[in-house]
Each structure stands twice: as structure tokens, then as C-alpha cells.
């Protein structure tokens, strides 16, 4: 079975959301999804992300963070970066170019920003942080059909 690998920083927010949204929406196509982070430092999943995924019918409680490796990249047909910094890291570390999630889903080169990139006072404004986190989960969920429709055009 062909595997799509979503990549972000910590593997508990953007790439994880894409992994689970892909699984929920792929239907009977012969693909599976995984996710990894370029750092994947041990962290607890942000409760609003987990809660929103549960509201969408996805239970991510069994998710285990993984750090990106060369072996992972070698085993997938489509590695996907959630942000430009992830693309840059993969190119520098593994000498491989990977498309952005939004390039595949929407045809744009806009990254899906991490909370600290999008919310100026992310560590002191809990409401803005939570609102943005839910927005990202909803956005990934909503554009996943376009991603699935277009992904084969980006496979090596």
C-alpha cells in the first residue's frame, strides 16, 4: 500500500491532524498515512486540537510522536511538508525536495503556520491560541478532499 507522510515540527498538531484527516477521508483508495516531526520533542497534545478532532469523529489519543528519519522518507511515495521551514530542513538534512500541503490541496505555496508563527501573543493569549488551533484543524479537514484528489500528481 502506498504511504503519504505528513511532516511538521513536533508531530502533535499540523502533521498529526493531516494524518488523521487523510485516514478519515481516503475512503477505499489504496493509500495510508503517517506523520512525523523534524524535532518531535516530547510534548502533550494541545487539548483544543484533540477535542476538535474528536468532534470531527477522530480519536487521536493513541497518537505517538515520531521524529523524521531517512528511512521514513525512503518508504513513502509522497512526503508532504506543512511549512516552509520543514521543506528547508528536509532539503538540507535529507537532500530531498517535498511539496507543501497547501501546494497539493489548494495550488498555493502558503504554509500552514504553527501557532507561534500566526498568533503574536500565543503564549499569553489563550483564546487566540485556541481559536487558531481549531481553525487549523478545521482548515486541514476541509481541504483534505482537494489534497486527496491532487496528490497523485506530486508522487515521485
Amino acid at each position: 500500500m502506498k504511504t503519504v507522510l505528513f511532516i511538521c515540527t513536533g508531530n502533535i498538531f499540523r502533521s498529526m491532524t493531516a494524518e488523521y484527516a487523510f485516514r478519515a477521508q481516503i475512503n477505499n483508495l489504496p493509500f495510508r498515512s503517517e506523520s512525523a516531526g523534524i524535532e518531535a520533542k516530547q510534548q502533550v497534545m494541545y487539548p483544543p486540537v484533540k477535542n476538535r478532532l474528536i468532534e470531527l469523529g477522530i480519536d487521536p489519543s493513541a497518537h505517538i510522536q515520531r521524529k523524521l528519519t531517512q528511512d521514513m522518507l525512503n518508504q513513502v511515495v509522497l512526503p508532504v511538508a506543512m511549512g516552509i521551514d520543514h521543506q528547508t530542513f528536509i532539503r538540507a538534512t535529507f537532500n530531498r525536495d517535498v511539496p507543501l500541503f497547501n501546494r497539493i490541496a489548494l495550488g498555493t505555496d502558503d504554509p500552514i503556520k504553527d501557532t507561534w508563527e500566526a498568533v503574536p501573543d500565543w503564549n499569553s493569549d489563550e483564546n487566540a491560541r485556541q481559536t487558531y488551533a481549531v481553525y487549523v484543524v478545521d482548515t486541514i479537514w476541509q481541504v483534505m478532499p482537494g489534497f486527496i484528489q491532487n496528490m497523485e500528481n506530486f508522487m515521485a
Side-chain angles (χ1 to χ4, degrees):
M1 188 171 292
K2 299 175 187 172
T3 302
V4 177
L5 176 67
F6 298 98
I7 305 158
C8 71
T9 305
N11 190 220
I12 57 165
F13 178 29
R14 296 167 290 169
S15 63
M16 179 205 63
T17 296
E19 173 187 1
Y20 286 90
F22 184 93
R23 284 183 191 170
Q25 297 183 44
I26 194 63
N27 297 317
N28 294 321
L29 294 176
F31 291 91
R32 60 187 219 109
S33 64
E34 296 178 356
S35 62
I38 62 173
E39 294 177 6
K41 296 176 182 172
Q42 190 64 34
Q43 300 173 48
V44 175
M45 190 182 308
Y46 186 46
V49 170
K50 181 179 180 179
N51 294 340
R52 184 62 185 135
L53 287 169
I54 290 170
E55 288 170 1
L56 292 169
I58 300 167
D59 183 2
S61 60
H63 179 73
I64 298 171
Q65 288 175 276
R66 299 184 324 148
K67 186 170 182 175
L68 182 64
T69 66
Q70 182 69 57
D71 190 48
M72 285 180 195
L73 286 171
N74 291 343
Q75 294 182 27
V76 301
V77 295
L78 182 59
V80 180
M82 302 307 283
I84 294 169
D85 54 333
H86 310 126
Q87 278 184 312
T88 302
F89 176 88
I90 295 164
R91 186 177 305 115
T93 306
F94 302 106
N95 196 31
R96 182 157 180 188
D97 289 320
V98 301
L100 282 175
F101 177 84
N102 279 339
R103 165 57 49 199
I104 299 171
L106 301 170
T108 70
D109 289 318
D110 299 319
I112 296 182
K113 294 180 180 179
D114 204 345
T115 307
W116 64 269
E117 296 172 298
V119 180
D121 298 326
W122 69 274
N123 56 351
S124 61
D125 188 345
E126 179 59 28
N127 186 50
R129 180 179 173 193
Q130 181 174 342
T131 299
Y132 181 72
V134 170
Y135 163 80
V136 168
V137 171
D138 287 347
T139 298
I140 291 170
W141 180 264
Q142 291 166 4
V143 303
M144 189 54 74
F147 179 94
I148 292 167
Q149 180 179 346
N150 298 327
M151 68 183 180
E152 291 195 61
N153 298 329
F154 292 86
M155 292 181 188

